[in-house]
Amino acid sequence: MKTTLTVVMASVFSSAALGQIGINTAVPIASLDIVAKRSDGSTAEGVLPPRLSGDEIKAGDAQYTESHAGTIIYATAGVKVASGKTANITAAGLYYYDGKIWQRMLQGDPRKMNSQSAGDIKNSMHPSDHSGWYLLNGRSVSSLPSSAQTSAAGLGFTVNIPDAADRILKTRNGAELLGSEGGNNKMTITRSNLPDINLIGVVSGTAESAGAHIHTSDEGGFLLGGTNVGNNGSGHYQGNGESSSWGGIGLMSSTANSGSHIHSLSGIATIPTGGIGAAMDNRSAYLVVNTFIYLGE
């Protein structure tokens, strides 16, 4: 231990004049140059950052400001309730602080570092859960792995994750709840959806002509005058059309012939559309994919 400390201190002081610090080297070539103590595999080499649990990191949230951007910590476990600056610390791993929130440093291509965080959404042709991505199919949170349950709870999903089946994604508006569902794929036009105008149809024309005709009575005739004029008081008459009936007043059984004629008509008509009110498909042309949410591995 004393030997190691001596080497480190010697390296630091030997390079202080140059404004560079070297560990296990007297000739640092960068601000901090760490050289492996041995290269034969007999010792563990590398840089070991501070190791804290997610909850321990979260306890120090207030200590990290924008000036701490670039700070690196190894989380030994995810936080129990992911939120705030530690919203992305959902599992053990190496994290860096970007000045606002802790971001996970992923293995592989550096260009893909921090390519996803808890709550990210993607569309894919992949058929099922994979690499920390979970199909948004409305399943219960309790059916997920424990680490994914923690992430889901941190996003506000405590009973079920959302069901994206047959739905498009909509950007939040105002106080809308993230993960809430709405809208319909089918729609039916109602009267209130129609324009506020009057639809008026005027009907005009002529009735069918019946040619020259007369109108007869089924009750025995038409009285041509008052019964109290010239009435003989007997209450009887001699026959239809006879001039001597009812004291010469007379009866007739049919109207006069008015010749060939027609009857005109006009008015406002209600004309049925012939529709049946069937619902319309409210969707544009589409490509079928699966929707996933990232909850960590």
Side-chain angles (χ1 to χ4, degrees), residues 37-206:
K37 184 178 180 181
R38 293 176 181 171
S39 59
D40 59 4
S42 60
T43 58
E45 304 291 339
V47 176
L48 190 61
R51 290 166 291 177
L52 297 169
S53 70
D55 288 334
E56 289 172 335
I57 298 172
K58 184 175 182 179
D61 263 1
Q63 308 304 317
Y64 296 95
T65 65
E66 291 186 0
S67 62
H68 291 89
T71 301
I72 297 175
I73 285 181
Y74 182 82
T76 58
V79 293
K80 293 179 180 178
V81 179
S83 63
K85 296 177 182 179
T86 55
N88 293 328
I89 303 181
T90 58
L94 197 62
Y95 293 82
Y96 75 94
Y97 187 66
D98 68 1
K100 294 182 179 180
I101 192 171
W102 290 97
Q103 305 284 7
R104 186 171 186 182
M105 299 174 65
L106 303 179
Q107 297 179 349
D109 189 340
R111 293 172 297 176
K112 297 181 179 179
M113 185 176 295
N114 190 39
S115 61
Q116 61 261 344
S117 300
D120 285 355
I121 299 291
K122 76 171 182 179
N123 291 325
S124 172
M125 295 293 187
H126 204 290
S128 58
D129 301 343
H130 59 283
S131 305
W133 291 96
Y134 292 84
L135 187 64
L136 279 175
N137 57 3
R139 78 186 87 173
S140 64
V141 173
S142 61
S143 68
L144 302 172
S146 58
S147 60
Q149 290 184 40
T150 301
S151 295
L155 295 169
F157 306 128
T158 57
V159 180
N160 297 89
I161 59 175
D163 187 356
D166 210 15
R167 294 182 182 277
I168 62 170
L169 303 184
K170 172 187 173 300
T171 300
R172 180 187 182 191
N173 179 25
E176 287 182 318
L177 182 64
L178 289 173
S180 59
E181 302 169 359
N184 295 289
N185 290 323
K186 298 288 185 178
M187 61 180 296
T188 302
I189 296 295
T190 65
R191 184 174 182 179
S192 61
N193 298 127
L194 298 176
D196 185 16
I197 59 175
N198 294 323
L199 301 176
I200 301 175
V202 178
V203 177
S204 63
T206 58

